Amino acid sequence: MPGDALPPGSSDAVRGAPASLFGLPDEAARETRLAIEVPKLASLVLTHELEGEVKGLDASAGKLPPVAPVFLSFRLMVGIGLLMLAVSWIGWWQLRPNSRRPEPSSLLTASLLEMVFFGLGGGVLAGWYTTEIGRQPWLVYGVLTTAQAAGPVPAPTIALTLAIYIAMYLALVVAYVATVFRLARKVTTEEPPRSATGSLPAPRRLGAASA
Amino acid sequence: MNEIETALQAPGGWLPLAILAIMGLAMLAYVILDGYDLGVGTLLGAAGERDKDTMVASIGPFWDANETWLVLGVGILLVAFPPAHGLILGALYLPVALMLVGLTLRGVAFDFRTKGGADRKALWNRAFSAGSVLASLAQGYMLGQWVTGFRGDGWATLFSALIAVCLLGTHMLLGAGWLIMKTEGALQVAAVRWARVSLGLTAVGVVAISAATPLVGASIFERWFALPDVVLLAPLPLATLLLFFIVERSLRRLPTRLEQGNAYGDGVPFAGAVGIAMLAFYGLAYSLLPWLVVDRLTVWQAASSTESLWMIFVGACVVLPVIVGYTVFSHPVFAGKATALQY
């Protein structure tokens, strides 16, 4: 089934099927180019047996979503997720109590920003594309197809509103980020000193409480 | 109304009507409650810089709770009358999208006008009033389209455009009436002026809808002008006319009274506007029942299965008193004149 955790890149049923970590699916030629594969992994994940049979795309011919977007967005989602995991481990290593480094490195700061803006956004979006495109042609799986549920509104009208929403949200995101930075700067420049000596107390480092 | 009387015998008949009544209540509450804060937002464009903070503060504690009524109303339409939801929102796709853009701009501007920096405040104030105007116009256009049964011809479009402007006027009347109650000084006097202009627009809208609905279908015409009914229904337009007269007189007298420091009757324009909105709603409901989409879809044709309706009905019996309760509770809590904006 194409919506499964590790969509197999082949069209016929295979025993002991490999999982492709990456590749470029070619729907016309029915093959995955430049594939990097782990032998037998797809069979193990989907059937819990090394030699289990994994059905190919032909088994559900006519009820298939476009393969390439699902294949790629799924790998993008998993890749970003693993990257975020790696960043959290690097961060834990750099911030461990007896680390010689006094402040978090700029690499860590940059990685954190990327996790928030690129990682969360991109990863969630890619995951969403995987489920939504992967469910096609169904809207409610096995009950209602997208074509049956589509309303009478002409496509150009939908394109127009989509463009309006995207334009508005882009503007709002810019305003939002600008406001967040403005408020953050306001706190650092305007906050009155808290200690009697007139200087701000030193910021506490994560994990440094007992050091 | 024979079909309605026979329908009341079984749950399959009366449940859709009961849920329609709940949905109607939600829509009426929305028009009045969000009406006044959309109106205040619209009038923000006409106000002086110094008054804008007071105006926003006057609706601050209420505006987002007011919008929940729209969610309730459209939510009930979706779960209780799915075919009507599809037909109505499909036909109104573009105005609904524009309304959402307007409401989004407003909601964001509400916070960002104070948090976005002094140099950006004028921009967010403009977004606030533009969003309010857009949402009101879109809602009025939708009302016009719905009343004419989504015919989509030139006359219906022209009529809907007229109703769009008039509903904007009604929201402004509610908003101005609200400001007369909630503010003092020069702003209060300005609000009286705004209310007089918007009272005219409201009157045009009420007359236009009253004139147009009987012309939409012969059945609606008969319902109003058949012989015993026309006499029994006469109090409805007469009471509306009386309310217009009372509000007009109050707005004429208020400036001199306020100048003398006498605030007696500063709640009359708002109460009158609420009354006009209620009577107009009642008249519309009388005209169009049992149609959800005029001449195409009745309440019973559009209703979900009786089992689903029971669930919605029981749920509404729990949720509705809570929403009504906090709405009623919040207004006395924040009664009195609006104080300086703090958040």
Side-chain angles (χ1 to χ4, degrees):
Chain A
M1 254 247 334
D4 273 329
L6 290 170
S10 75
S11 22
D12 308 310
V14 180
R15 288 196 164 276
S20 0
L21 296 185
F22 192 76
L24 294 172
D26 184 337
E27 273 185 76
R30 314 173 73 77
E31 61 176 23
T32 307
R33 288 194 218 135
L34 305 173
I36 305 167
E37 295 181 332
V38 179
K40 304 199 191 292
L41 182 61
S43 282
L44 184 67
V45 169
L46 294 172
T47 67
H48 304 171
E49 284 171 34
L50 285 177
E51 293 302 323
E53 184 184 278
V54 175
K55 281 185 183 147
L57 295 180
D58 284 349
S60 7
K63 294 180 209 156
L64 281 178
V67 175
V70 183
F71 184 95
L72 292 174
S73 62
F74 178 75
R75 277 149 189 81
L76 196 63
M77 173 189 77
V78 174
I80 290 175
L82 292 176
L83 205 65
M84 291 170 78
L85 208 56
V87 168
S88 73
W89 287 341
I90 296 171
W92 168 79
W93 180 252
Q94 291 194 349
L95 291 173
R96 69 194 188 284
N98 45 2
S99 163
R100 257 179 278 163
R101 210 187 285 275
E103 290 296 324
S105 72
S106 58
L107 169 76
L108 188 64
T109 319
S111 313
L112 272 174
L113 278 178
E114 275 160 23
M115 276 176 79
V116 173
F117 289 106
F118 167 75
L120 278 180
V124 169
L125 211 56
W128 204 335
Y129 282 156
T130 308
T131 54
E132 294 301 318
I133 302 173
R135 202 192 308 106
Q136 299 306 315
W138 298 103
L139 191 63
V140 181
Y141 189 75
V143 178
L144 188 70
T145 65
T146 308
Q148 286 169 336
V153 182
T157 311
I158 293 178
L160 173 70
T161 52
L162 181 66
I164 294 175
Y165 290 138
I166 290 176
M168 177 171 74
Y169 273 92
L170 276 180
L172 290 181
V173 152
V174 171
Y176 170 76
V177 172
T179 306
V180 164
F181 275 89
R182 209 191 71 86
L183 287 178
R185 228 174 282 130
K186 193 173 155 192
V187 170
T188 51
T189 53
E190 290 177 16
E191 201 175 38
R194 282 194 192 135
S195 67
T197 55
S199 66
L200 286 167
R204 253 182 61 195
R205 265 196 303 136
L206 278 171
S210 56
Chain B
M1 293 247 167
N2 271 334
E3 48 182 333
I4 294 181
E5 275 161 31
T6 45
L8 292 178
Q9 311 294 323
W14 68 262
L15 254 181
L17 283 179
I19 289 170
L20 181 73
I22 296 171
M23 190 174 87
L25 176 72
M27 290 304 191
L28 177 63
Y30 176 74
V31 169
I32 292 171
L33 292 172
D34 211 32
Y36 77 69
D37 67 54
L38 283 168
V40 171
T42 301
L43 294 171
L44 205 67
E49 277 314 307
R50 294 166 129 221
D51 292 333
K52 286 180 177 168
D53 280 348
T54 317
M55 291 170 73
V56 174
S58 80
I59 56 173
F62 310 105
W63 73 280
D64 41 1
N66 292 345
E67 280 180 7
T68 56
W69 289 99
L70 181 66
V71 180
L72 181 71
V74 179
I76 293 178
L77 181 64
L78 171 63
V79 290
F81 309 106
H85 179 272
L87 202 62
I88 294 173
L89 290 186
L92 299 177
Y93 181 81
L94 213 51
V96 167
L98 291 177
M99 175 182 81
L100 292 179
V101 169
L103 292 178
T104 308
L105 278 182
R106 243 172 76 87
V108 173
F110 212 100
D111 271 333
F112 278 24
R113 61 186 292 282
T114 54
K115 303 241 163 81
D119 48 333
R120 295 265 186 280
K121 193 168 179 183
L123 181 74
W124 287 115
N125 279 338
R126 270 200 294 280
F128 195 100
S129 58
S132 306
V133 172
L134 187 62
S136 296
L137 287 177
Q139 286 167 6
Y141 188 84
M142 288 189 255
L143 176 63
Q145 290 282 301
W146 180 65
V147 163
T148 50
F150 310 122
R151 291 189 314 182
D153 56 23
W155 285 113
T157 309
L158 209 64
F159 174 76
S160 306
L162 174 70
I163 299 302
V165 176
C166 293
L167 188 72
L168 177 67
T170 308
H171 287 170
M172 281 159 60
L173 177 64
L174 285 161
W178 178 258
L179 290 173
I180 296 173
M181 280 194 306
K182 300 292 281 185
T183 65
E184 295 162 304
L187 177 57
Q188 195 180 25
V189 176
V192 174
R193 208 171 56 239
W194 296 330
R196 295 192 71 165
V197 178
S198 30
L199 186 68
L201 278 174
T202 307
V204 173
V206 170
V207 170
I209 289 203
S210 309
T213 26
L215 300 179
V216 170
S219 59
I220 300 176
F221 187 87
E222 271 172 35
R223 200 174 279 180
W224 279 94
F225 297 105
L227 233 172
D229 301 19
V230 73
V231 181
L232 293 172
L233 286 168
L236 197 61
L238 288 181
T240 313
L241 199 66
L242 183 69
L243 278 179
F244 270 108
F245 175 73
I246 291 172
V247 173
E248 205 279 329
R249 199 181 67 145
S250 155
L251 291 175
R252 210 161 0 98
R253 291 182 173 182
L254 265 173
T256 25
R257 213 183 283 159
L258 291 175
E259 226 167 76
Q260 294 156 359
N262 176 6
Y264 177 76
D266 66 353
V268 172
F270 184 72
V274 170
I276 291 169
M278 283 174 146
L279 288 174
F281 182 86
Y282 181 72
L284 209 55
Y286 177 80
S287 297
L288 299 180
L289 208 78
W291 296 111
L292 276 177
V293 180
V294 181
D295 284 341
R296 260 197 276 180
L297 202 60
T298 67
V299 198
W300 298 288
Q301 287 165 348
S304 304
S305 67
T306 309
E307 291 83 353
S308 313
L309 293 183
W310 269 119
M311 270 197 61
I312 301 162
F313 185 70
V314 172
C317 287
V318 176
V319 172
L320 202 66
V322 176
I323 310 182
V324 171
Y326 72 60
T327 305
V328 172
F329 179 72
S330 69
H331 282 78
V333 166
F334 297 102
K337 301 293 178 186
T339 46
L341 194 63
Q342 284 177 333
Y343 59 100

